[in-house]
Amino acid sequence: PPPAFAFENRLPPDELELKYKQPRTAGPQPTDLGVRAGGALKPCTDGKPHCFSSSPESFDGYEDAADEAAGWLVQPFRFDMPLADAVADVKEAIVSYPPGQRGIDGGGFRVVKESTSAQAAYIYVQYESRRKGFVDDMEFALANGVVNVRTSSRLGYLDMGVNAKRF
């Protein structure tokens, strides 16, 4: 039987994939994702260049000033519209994302979790590399006119700039 692939919207196997069949390596799903206090997401604290987050590290409610210059810390997106409209815009951007664009995420993607209340929303998406099946996790937390974003690889140290391109 053909190998099982994680996501239905992946690109079809290419010549290299068919010739050199390799096991797909998703890596363990993180257990510490999700919205944190103040609508923040998990910061990138492992020092690896494959993670980007708009949420700085904080200690007892105080943000670490040293992280302000960290290369992984990116600016959150801002919105000036009703929360439902902002959520719809983010969801539209996700579903219209073409797997394989800019040479990344050829394995496709899927929305794993969505939650929305009157004040906030959270969307968790997994993206898969084309040939080796590496899975990256991307989160969006929307509240009070701010969209916090986090994207990171599960495995390895370098990701060939994939998360930077996706962000």
Side-chain angles (χ1 to χ4, degrees), residues 110-141:
R110 72 174 169 199
V111 176
V112 176
K113 183 177 181 181
E114 288 182 63
S115 61
T116 305
S117 70
Q119 296 83 26
Y122 174 75
I123 303 171
Y124 169 38
V125 186
Q126 294 175 343
Y127 293 89
E128 185 183 80
S129 67
R130 182 173 190 172
R131 293 192 183 97
K132 296 191 178 187
F134 297 133
V135 173
D136 294 348
D137 302 288
M138 187 164 193
E139 304 175 277
F140 302 88

mmCIF file of all heavy atoms in Angstrom, residues 110-141:
data_model
loop_
_atom_site.group_PDB
_atom_site.id
_atom_site.type_symbol
_atom_site.label_atom_id
_atom_site.label_comp_id
_atom_site.label_asym_id
_atom_site.label_seq_id
_atom_site.Cartn_x
_atom_site.Cartn_y
_atom_site.Cartn_z
ATOM 1 N N ARG A 110 -3.209 21.310 8.255
ATOM 2 C CA ARG A 110 -4.569 21.125 8.766
ATOM 3 C C ARG A 110 -4.758 21.978 10.012
ATOM 4 O O ARG A 110 -3.823 22.198 10.787
ATOM 5 C CB ARG A 110 -4.877 19.664 9.062
ATOM 6 C CG ARG A 110 -4.175 19.137 10.282
ATOM 7 C CD ARG A 110 -4.613 17.738 10.639
ATOM 8 N NE ARG A 110 -3.697 17.239 11.657
ATOM 9 C CZ ARG A 110 -3.542 15.989 11.948
ATOM 10 N NH1 ARG A 110 -4.221 15.083 11.318
ATOM 11 N NH2 ARG A 110 -2.705 15.635 12.890
ATOM 12 N N VAL A 111 -5.979 22.473 10.170
ATOM 13 C CA VAL A 111 -6.350 23.196 11.382
ATOM 14 C C VAL A 111 -6.674 22.135 12.424
ATOM 15 O O VAL A 111 -7.550 21.296 12.217
ATOM 16 C CB VAL A 111 -7.547 24.136 11.142
ATOM 17 C CG1 VAL A 111 -7.977 24.799 12.440
ATOM 18 C CG2 VAL A 111 -7.190 25.188 10.090
ATOM 19 N N VAL A 112 -5.958 22.167 13.535
ATOM 20 C CA VAL A 112 -6.104 21.159 14.572
ATOM 21 C C VAL A 112 -7.100 21.594 15.638
ATOM 22 O O VAL A 112 -7.872 20.792 16.139
ATOM 23 C CB VAL A 112 -4.734 20.860 15.226
ATOM 24 C CG1 VAL A 112 -4.857 19.886 16.374
ATOM 25 C CG2 VAL A 112 -3.767 20.339 14.177
ATOM 26 N N LYS A 113 -7.075 22.886 15.974
ATOM 27 C CA LYS A 113 -7.938 23.370 17.047
ATOM 28 C C LYS A 113 -8.377 24.789 16.768
ATOM 29 O O LYS A 113 -7.581 25.607 16.313
ATOM 30 C CB LYS A 113 -7.196 23.306 18.384
ATOM 31 C CG LYS A 113 -8.026 23.729 19.572
ATOM 32 C CD LYS A 113 -7.258 23.576 20.875
ATOM 33 C CE LYS A 113 -8.122 23.971 22.052
ATOM 34 N NZ LYS A 113 -7.404 23.860 23.319
ATOM 35 N N GLU A 114 -9.632 25.062 17.042
ATOM 36 C CA GLU A 114 -10.198 26.413 16.962
ATOM 37 C C GLU A 114 -11.087 26.630 18.169
ATOM 38 O O GLU A 114 -11.864 25.747 18.526
ATOM 39 C CB GLU A 114 -11.089 26.563 15.729
ATOM 40 C CG GLU A 114 -10.408 26.613 14.416
ATOM 41 C CD GLU A 114 -11.432 26.822 13.295
ATOM 42 O OE1 GLU A 114 -12.098 27.873 13.284
ATOM 43 O OE2 GLU A 114 -11.556 25.923 12.464
ATOM 44 N N SER A 115 -10.976 27.784 18.766
ATOM 45 C CA SER A 115 -11.916 28.143 19.828
ATOM 46 C C SER A 115 -12.162 29.646 19.753
ATOM 47 O O SER A 115 -11.237 30.415 19.490
ATOM 48 C CB SER A 115 -11.383 27.745 21.205
ATOM 49 O OG SER A 115 -10.175 28.399 21.480
ATOM 50 N N THR A 116 -13.396 30.031 19.968
ATOM 51 C CA THR A 116 -13.772 31.442 19.911
ATOM 52 C C THR A 116 -14.768 31.747 21.017
ATOM 53 O O THR A 116 -15.697 30.974 21.241
ATOM 54 C CB THR A 116 -14.401 31.787 18.543
ATOM 55 O OG1 THR A 116 -13.502 31.414 17.506
ATOM 56 C CG2 THR A 116 -14.701 33.266 18.441
ATOM 57 N N SER A 117 -14.541 32.858 21.684
ATOM 58 C CA SER A 117 -15.504 33.370 22.666
ATOM 59 C C SER A 117 -15.842 34.790 22.242
ATOM 60 O O SER A 117 -15.374 35.272 21.215
ATOM 61 C CB SER A 117 -14.895 33.352 24.072
ATOM 62 O OG SER A 117 -13.874 34.330 24.182
ATOM 63 N N ALA A 118 -16.615 35.486 23.041
ATOM 64 C CA ALA A 118 -16.979 36.868 22.714
ATOM 65 C C ALA A 118 -15.762 37.796 22.763
ATOM 66 O O ALA A 118 -15.730 38.817 22.083
ATOM 67 C CB ALA A 118 -18.056 37.369 23.673
ATOM 68 N N GLN A 119 -14.737 37.429 23.568
ATOM 69 C CA GLN A 119 -13.582 38.305 23.751
ATOM 70 C C GLN A 119 -12.304 37.847 23.056
ATOM 71 O O GLN A 119 -11.392 38.642 22.853
ATOM 72 C CB GLN A 119 -13.250 38.449 25.246
ATOM 73 C CG GLN A 119 -14.300 39.116 26.079
ATOM 74 C CD GLN A 119 -15.396 38.135 26.501
ATOM 75 O OE1 GLN A 119 -15.175 36.942 26.598
ATOM 76 N NE2 GLN A 119 -16.591 38.646 26.724
ATOM 77 N N ALA A 120 -12.188 36.566 22.725
ATOM 78 C CA ALA A 120 -10.915 36.055 22.212
ATOM 79 C C ALA A 120 -11.117 34.853 21.297
ATOM 80 O O ALA A 120 -12.178 34.228 21.307
ATOM 81 C CB ALA A 120 -10.008 35.670 23.379
ATOM 82 N N ALA A 121 -10.066 34.538 20.543
ATOM 83 C CA ALA A 121 -10.093 33.364 19.667
ATOM 84 C C ALA A 121 -8.703 32.761 19.600
ATOM 85 O O ALA A 121 -7.693 33.444 19.820
ATOM 86 C CB ALA A 121 -10.566 33.750 18.270
ATOM 87 N N TYR A 122 -8.655 31.464 19.291
ATOM 88 C CA TYR A 122 -7.395 30.729 19.184
ATOM 89 C C TYR A 122 -7.503 29.752 18.019
ATOM 90 O O TYR A 122 -8.522 29.072 17.860
ATOM 91 C CB TYR A 122 -7.122 29.962 20.481
ATOM 92 C CG TYR A 122 -5.916 29.055 20.424
ATOM 93 C CD1 TYR A 122 -4.626 29.567 20.472
ATOM 94 C CD2 TYR A 122 -6.069 27.675 20.328
ATOM 95 C CE1 TYR A 122 -3.522 28.730 20.426
ATOM 96 C CE2 TYR A 122 -4.962 26.837 20.285
ATOM 97 C CZ TYR A 122 -3.698 27.363 20.338
ATOM 98 O OH TYR A 122 -2.598 26.541 20.288
ATOM 99 N N ILE A 123 -6.445 29.711 17.192
ATOM 100 C CA ILE A 123 -6.397 28.780 16.067
ATOM 101 C C ILE A 123 -5.018 28.122 16.083
ATOM 102 O O ILE A 123 -3.993 28.809 16.172
ATOM 103 C CB ILE A 123 -6.622 29.495 14.719
ATOM 104 C CG1 ILE A 123 -7.959 30.240 14.728
ATOM 105 C CG2 ILE A 123 -6.572 28.491 13.567
ATOM 106 C CD1 ILE A 123 -8.167 31.156 13.527
ATOM 107 N N TYR A 124 -5.011 26.780 16.004
ATOM 108 C CA TYR A 124 -3.774 26.000 15.995
ATOM 109 C C TYR A 124 -3.720 25.198 14.695
ATOM 110 O O TYR A 124 -4.643 24.453 14.378
ATOM 111 C CB TYR A 124 -3.740 25.084 17.213
ATOM 112 C CG TYR A 124 -2.662 24.023 17.232
ATOM 113 C CD1 TYR A 124 -1.379 24.257 16.750
ATOM 114 C CD2 TYR A 124 -2.925 22.769 17.754
ATOM 115 C CE1 TYR A 124 -0.404 23.283 16.789
ATOM 116 C CE2 TYR A 124 -1.955 21.784 17.799
ATOM 117 C CZ TYR A 124 -0.701 22.044 17.312
ATOM 118 O OH TYR A 124 0.267 21.068 17.340
ATOM 119 N N VAL A 125 -2.632 25.390 13.928
ATOM 120 C CA VAL A 125 -2.470 24.763 12.617
ATOM 121 C C VAL A 125 -1.159 23.988 12.590
ATOM 122 O O VAL A 125 -0.160 24.437 13.156
ATOM 123 C CB VAL A 125 -2.436 25.834 11.489
ATOM 124 C CG1 VAL A 125 -2.424 25.185 10.115
ATOM 125 C CG2 VAL A 125 -3.602 26.798 11.617
ATOM 126 N N GLN A 126 -1.172 22.830 11.935
ATOM 127 C CA GLN A 126 0.049 22.056 11.717
ATOM 128 C C GLN A 126 0.370 22.075 10.228
ATOM 129 O O GLN A 126 -0.516 21.889 9.396
ATOM 130 C CB GLN A 126 -0.125 20.610 12.179
ATOM 131 C CG GLN A 126 -0.322 20.480 13.664
ATOM 132 C CD GLN A 126 -0.623 19.055 14.091
ATOM 133 O OE1 GLN A 126 -0.994 18.204 13.290
ATOM 134 N NE2 GLN A 126 -0.476 18.800 15.373
ATOM 135 N N TYR A 127 1.654 22.285 9.905
ATOM 136 C CA TYR A 127 2.145 22.286 8.530
ATOM 137 C C TYR A 127 3.182 21.169 8.397
ATOM 138 O O TYR A 127 3.966 20.947 9.318
ATOM 139 C CB TYR A 127 2.816 23.631 8.194
ATOM 140 C CG TYR A 127 1.850 24.776 8.160
ATOM 141 C CD1 TYR A 127 1.566 25.494 9.307
ATOM 142 C CD2 TYR A 127 1.218 25.129 6.979
ATOM 143 C CE1 TYR A 127 0.668 26.554 9.282
ATOM 144 C CE2 TYR A 127 0.316 26.185 6.942
ATOM 145 C CZ TYR A 127 0.049 26.886 8.095
ATOM 146 O OH TYR A 127 -0.843 27.921 8.074
ATOM 147 N N GLU A 128 3.180 20.489 7.244
ATOM 148 C CA GLU A 128 4.100 19.370 7.056
ATOM 149 C C GLU A 128 5.039 19.614 5.874
ATOM 150 O O GLU A 128 4.607 20.094 4.818
ATOM 151 C CB GLU A 128 3.323 18.083 6.805
ATOM 152 C CG GLU A 128 4.225 16.868 6.711
ATOM 153 C CD GLU A 128 3.471 15.607 6.385
ATOM 154 O OE1 GLU A 128 3.158 15.394 5.199
ATOM 155 O OE2 GLU A 128 3.190 14.848 7.317
ATOM 156 N N SER A 129 6.316 19.253 6.062
ATOM 157 C CA SER A 129 7.268 19.344 4.951
ATOM 158 C C SER A 129 6.945 18.258 3.923
ATOM 159 O O SER A 129 6.326 17.249 4.241
ATOM 160 C CB SER A 129 8.708 19.196 5.452
ATOM 161 O OG SER A 129 8.931 17.889 5.928
ATOM 162 N N ARG A 130 7.368 18.478 2.718
ATOM 163 C CA ARG A 130 6.973 17.598 1.622
ATOM 164 C C ARG A 130 7.596 16.208 1.686
ATOM 165 O O ARG A 130 6.900 15.209 1.591
ATOM 166 C CB ARG A 130 7.322 18.251 0.289
ATOM 167 C CG ARG A 130 6.900 17.423 -0.895
ATOM 168 C CD ARG A 130 7.094 18.154 -2.180
ATOM 169 N NE ARG A 130 6.478 17.432 -3.269
ATOM 170 C CZ ARG A 130 6.367 17.899 -4.477
ATOM 171 N NH1 ARG A 130 6.809 19.102 -4.744
ATOM 172 N NH2 ARG A 130 5.808 17.184 -5.407
ATOM 173 N N ARG A 131 8.896 16.131 1.811
ATOM 174 C CA ARG A 131 9.558 14.840 1.640
ATOM 175 C C ARG A 131 9.767 14.053 2.922
ATOM 176 O O ARG A 131 9.690 12.841 2.913
ATOM 177 C CB ARG A 131 10.887 15.034 0.930
ATOM 178 C CG ARG A 131 10.693 15.496 -0.489
ATOM 179 C CD ARG A 131 11.958 15.425 -1.313
ATOM 180 N NE ARG A 131 11.683 15.963 -2.641
ATOM 181 C CZ ARG A 131 11.959 17.201 -3.001
ATOM 182 N NH1 ARG A 131 12.524 18.027 -2.149
ATOM 183 N NH2 ARG A 131 11.675 17.612 -4.211
ATOM 184 N N LYS A 132 10.050 14.725 4.014
ATOM 185 C CA LYS A 132 10.389 13.993 5.236
ATOM 186 C C LYS A 132 9.280 13.996 6.281
ATOM 187 O O LYS A 132 9.390 13.332 7.299
ATOM 188 C CB LYS A 132 11.685 14.537 5.835
ATOM 189 C CG LYS A 132 12.859 14.304 4.897
ATOM 190 C CD LYS A 132 14.156 14.590 5.559
ATOM 191 C CE LYS A 132 15.277 14.283 4.575
ATOM 192 N NZ LYS A 132 16.583 14.369 5.187
ATOM 193 N N GLY A 133 8.236 14.764 6.032
ATOM 194 C CA GLY A 133 7.101 14.745 6.944
ATOM 195 C C GLY A 133 7.310 15.482 8.244
ATOM 196 O O GLY A 133 6.579 15.272 9.206
ATOM 197 N N PHE A 134 8.315 16.374 8.305
ATOM 198 C CA PHE A 134 8.497 17.161 9.515
ATOM 199 C C PHE A 134 7.267 18.043 9.712
ATOM 200 O O PHE A 134 6.777 18.658 8.771
ATOM 201 C CB PHE A 134 9.739 18.056 9.415
ATOM 202 C CG PHE A 134 11.029 17.302 9.275
ATOM 203 C CD1 PHE A 134 11.947 17.674 8.317
ATOM 204 C CD2 PHE A 134 11.335 16.238 10.103
ATOM 205 C CE1 PHE A 134 13.156 17.004 8.190
ATOM 206 C CE2 PHE A 134 12.536 15.553 9.989
ATOM 207 C CZ PHE A 134 13.444 15.938 9.025
ATOM 208 N N VAL A 135 6.782 18.133 10.945
ATOM 209 C CA VAL A 135 5.605 18.951 11.232
ATOM 210 C C VAL A 135 6.017 20.170 12.043
ATOM 211 O O VAL A 135 6.784 20.059 13.001
ATOM 212 C CB VAL A 135 4.528 18.138 11.983
ATOM 213 C CG1 VAL A 135 3.375 19.032 12.430
ATOM 214 C CG2 VAL A 135 3.998 17.019 11.085
ATOM 215 N N ASP A 136 5.515 21.328 11.617
ATOM 216 C CA ASP A 136 5.694 22.582 12.338
ATOM 217 C C ASP A 136 4.346 22.995 12.908
ATOM 218 O O ASP A 136 3.304 22.735 12.306
ATOM 219 C CB ASP A 136 6.189 23.686 11.406
ATOM 220 C CG ASP A 136 7.589 23.432 10.872
ATOM 221 O OD1 ASP A 136 8.281 22.531 11.381
ATOM 222 O OD2 ASP A 136 7.989 24.145 9.947
ATOM 223 N N ASP A 137 4.377 23.626 14.055
ATOM 224 C CA ASP A 137 3.160 24.072 14.729
ATOM 225 C C ASP A 137 3.048 25.581 14.629
ATOM 226 O O ASP A 137 4.022 26.294 14.890
ATOM 227 C CB ASP A 137 3.202 23.650 16.202
ATOM 228 C CG ASP A 137 3.352 22.143 16.347
ATOM 229 O OD1 ASP A 137 2.381 21.437 16.071
ATOM 230 O OD2 ASP A 137 4.452 21.687 16.720
ATOM 231 N N MET A 138 1.862 26.081 14.268
ATOM 232 C CA MET A 138 1.625 27.522 14.182
ATOM 233 C C MET A 138 0.347 27.851 14.942
ATOM 234 O O MET A 138 -0.660 27.160 14.800
ATOM 235 C CB MET A 138 1.518 27.973 12.734
ATOM 236 C CG MET A 138 1.446 29.476 12.588
ATOM 237 S SD MET A 138 1.794 29.976 10.889
ATOM 238 C CE MET A 138 2.042 31.729 11.110
ATOM 239 N N GLU A 139 0.416 28.906 15.741
ATOM 240 C CA GLU A 139 -0.726 29.318 16.556
ATOM 241 C C GLU A 139 -1.052 30.783 16.316
ATOM 242 O O GLU A 139 -0.165 31.588 16.033
ATOM 243 C CB GLU A 139 -0.409 29.180 18.044
ATOM 244 C CG GLU A 139 0.033 27.824 18.504
ATOM 245 C CD GLU A 139 0.428 27.880 19.966
ATOM 246 O OE1 GLU A 139 1.583 28.278 20.244
ATOM 247 O OE2 GLU A 139 -0.424 27.573 20.814
ATOM 248 N N PHE A 140 -2.333 31.089 16.470
ATOM 249 C CA PHE A 140 -2.834 32.464 16.387
ATOM 250 C C PHE A 140 -3.737 32.685 17.600
ATOM 251 O O PHE A 140 -4.653 31.901 17.836
ATOM 252 C CB PHE A 140 -3.669 32.675 15.121
ATOM 253 C CG PHE A 140 -2.944 32.384 13.849
ATOM 254 C CD1 PHE A 140 -2.932 31.095 13.317
ATOM 255 C CD2 PHE A 140 -2.270 33.385 13.160
ATOM 256 C CE1 PHE A 140 -2.270 30.815 12.136
ATOM 257 C CE2 PHE A 140 -1.602 33.108 11.975
ATOM 258 C CZ PHE A 140 -1.609 31.820 11.462
ATOM 259 N N ALA A 141 -3.490 33.745 18.359
ATOM 260 C CA ALA A 141 -4.343 34.127 19.481
ATOM 261 C C ALA A 141 -4.827 35.551 19.237
ATOM 262 O O ALA A 141 -4.016 36.473 19.127
ATOM 263 C CB ALA A 141 -3.586 34.042 20.803
#
